[in-house]
Amino acid sequence: MPFSPYKISFLLTLVSGTLLSISSSSWFTAWIGLELNLMSFIPLISSKKNQLPTEASLKYFLIQALGSAIIILSSTLTLLYPQLALLLVSLALLLKLGAAPFHSWFPQVMEGLSWLQAIILMTIQKLAPMFLISYLSMSFYTHTPIFLAAVFSATVGALGGINQTSLRKILSYSSINHMSWMLIAMLINETSWMIYFFLYALITSSVALYFLSIQSYFFFHLINSNTTPLTKMISILSLFSLGGMPPFSGFIPKWIMIQEMISAGFFFALLILLLSSLVTLYFYIRLSLASISISYAQSKWSLTFFFHPTSIYSPLSSMMNLFGLLMPSALLIM
């Protein structure tokens, strides 16, 4: 995604659409913000030179247009069947979000994007639907589909990434799994899911930026990457942080959510989410062990360099993922 003037203008419009949806006082204004966000993201991911981004942009447009059409349909049913309208709005927002069982489009769209476009899809594009879901009045018709979507997302995100060799699909299923934690957090309080989303966005962006820096898109690219041992070690620790292994930064939001779910009595959902997190941590460890045990052949000349040109994102990645190690020390000082 080259930084041309029209790309920057579309990016600004995309952020403006998200902010409009979040700060809107009516569902009509929120719908306008979602459409503005959609029409700004399509030019950012489409390409004349490659067929994969064009196919991904078409899939993304069709799914998001279907979600918007369901929101328009629900607006016609508001006066006659208000509970049904709330149910349709929640299902449409879950479809736009890519939560299970409406998740099948998300890994396919991710597979056709570059890493910078994937970061936008995994972070900024999830903001508006998630805020709108949190604004819904929690009745039986909205609480139940959100709870079921969270349980399905945890299961699908864990099992879907096991046999994947594409790093973009692995991160997409990881995003679906993290989405389950945020959906459960919405049912408890707003502060928890905002903290979780902020840390999730930082950690996911750092891992994707590292993959961008070494130009890795598949499993064998990560194994054969010609990087320094320090850079490879930082990437492994970043994956552990994304999986939520203590004491890295990714464990902090899960720790908060575990305490909140125990206090709220979500014991069954907590069991499902913890088991799914163990499965996601399994395929992160599988990636890490393969990259450690299988080393790319390097000449002695390349090993004498202390700084590698592909390791520019290593300080960023380490800062975002390893500050969780400093949290106990900070608490002791306080």
Side-chain angles (χ1 to χ4, degrees):
M1 189 174 64
F3 291 99
S4 55
Y6 78 93
K7 294 273 187 181
I8 295 175
S9 63
F10 278 125
L11 183 61
L12 292 175
T13 313
L14 181 143
V15 175
S16 301
T18 301
L19 294 177
L20 179 62
S21 295
I22 291 174
S23 59
S24 62
S25 58
S26 65
W27 283 102
F28 179 71
T29 316
W31 175 78
I32 291 176
L34 289 173
E35 294 303 303
L36 183 62
N37 180 275
L38 167 63
M39 301 312 293
S40 303
F41 189 58
I42 296 298
L44 289 175
I45 62 176
S46 59
S47 174
K48 295 180 180 179
K49 301 178 182 179
N50 196 346
Q51 187 178 2
L52 282 177
T54 305
E55 182 181 350
S57 62
L58 180 60
K59 289 178 181 177
Y60 184 79
F61 173 77
L62 292 176
I63 292 296
Q64 298 296 317
L66 176 62
S68 300
I70 295 175
I71 293 176
I72 293 297
L73 173 64
S74 65
S75 66
T76 61
L77 302 173
T78 303
L79 296 177
L80 297 177
Y81 307 101
Q83 303 297 335
L84 179 60
L86 280 176
L87 176 63
L88 288 177
V89 168
S90 61
L91 293 179
L93 292 174
L94 290 172
L95 175 66
K96 283 179 167 290
L97 199 56
F102 314 110
H103 68 282
S104 57
W105 64 271
F106 190 73
Q108 298 178 18
V109 171
M110 278 280 292
E111 188 65 23
L113 304 182
S114 67
W115 281 120
L116 290 178
Q117 296 165 347
I119 290 173
I120 297 175
L121 181 61
M122 290 188 294
T123 56
I124 300 176
Q125 294 300 98
K126 291 184 182 298
L127 268 177
M130 294 190 78
F131 266 99
L132 293 178
I133 287 176
S134 67
Y135 293 159
L136 290 173
S137 59
M138 288 301 169
S139 62
F140 174 79
Y141 292 93
T142 53
H143 187 283
T144 304
I146 292 173
F147 180 81
L148 293 177
V151 174
F152 283 136
S153 297
T155 308
V156 169
L159 299 180
I162 292 179
N163 294 323
Q164 298 295 333
T165 58
S166 170
L167 297 178
R168 285 170 292 189
K169 282 193 174 181
I170 286 176
L171 281 189
S172 66
Y173 282 108
S174 171
S175 177
I176 293 172
N177 181 264
H178 282 286
M179 203 182 306
S180 64
W181 291 84
M182 288 181 270
L183 289 175
I184 291 292
M186 288 178 189
L187 302 178
I188 300 175
N189 58 59
E190 290 189 1
T191 308
S192 299
W193 86 260
M194 288 182 186
I195 295 173
Y196 196 106
F197 181 84
F198 177 72
L199 291 174
Y200 154 78
L202 286 179
I203 296 168
T204 304
S205 301
S206 68
V207 173
L209 285 174
Y210 170 74
F211 289 155
L212 171 66
S213 67
I214 61 175
Q215 290 297 304
S216 294
Y217 291 94
F218 291 93
F219 187 58
F220 61 88
H221 290 162
L222 193 62
I223 295 174
N224 298 330
S225 61
N226 188 12
T227 57
T228 60
L230 177 61
T231 306
K232 186 172 288 189
M233 184 60 65
I234 289 175
S235 70
I236 291 169
L237 297 180
S238 301
L239 288 174
F240 288 167
S241 178
L242 187 61
M245 177 182 286
F248 300 106
S249 303
F251 177 68
I252 297 174
K254 290 189 176 180
W255 188 9
I256 296 173
M257 277 306 303
I258 289 171
Q259 292 180 336
E260 292 288 341
M261 291 174 71
I262 291 175
S263 301
F266 286 87
F267 298 109
F268 173 74
L270 179 60
L271 177 64
I272 299 296
L273 265 60
L274 287 177
L275 291 176
S276 66
S277 296
L278 289 177
V279 178
T280 56
L281 199 56
Y282 158 74
F283 57 76
Y284 289 140
I285 293 175
R286 182 172 64 94
L287 280 176
S288 306
L289 290 179
S291 62
I292 291 174
S293 58
I294 305 174
S295 299
Y296 181 74
Q298 292 178 320
S299 63
K300 290 183 178 180
W301 175 257
S302 63
L303 289 174
T304 57
F305 282 80
F306 290 98
F307 297 100
H308 197 274
T310 60
S311 61
I312 57 173
Y313 293 112
S314 296
L316 176 66
S317 177
S318 61
M319 179 186 68
M320 291 180 180
N321 292 289
L322 304 182
F323 77 87
L325 295 170
L326 304 177
M327 288 296 292
S329 302
L331 292 176
L332 288 176
I333 294 174
M334 293 174 63

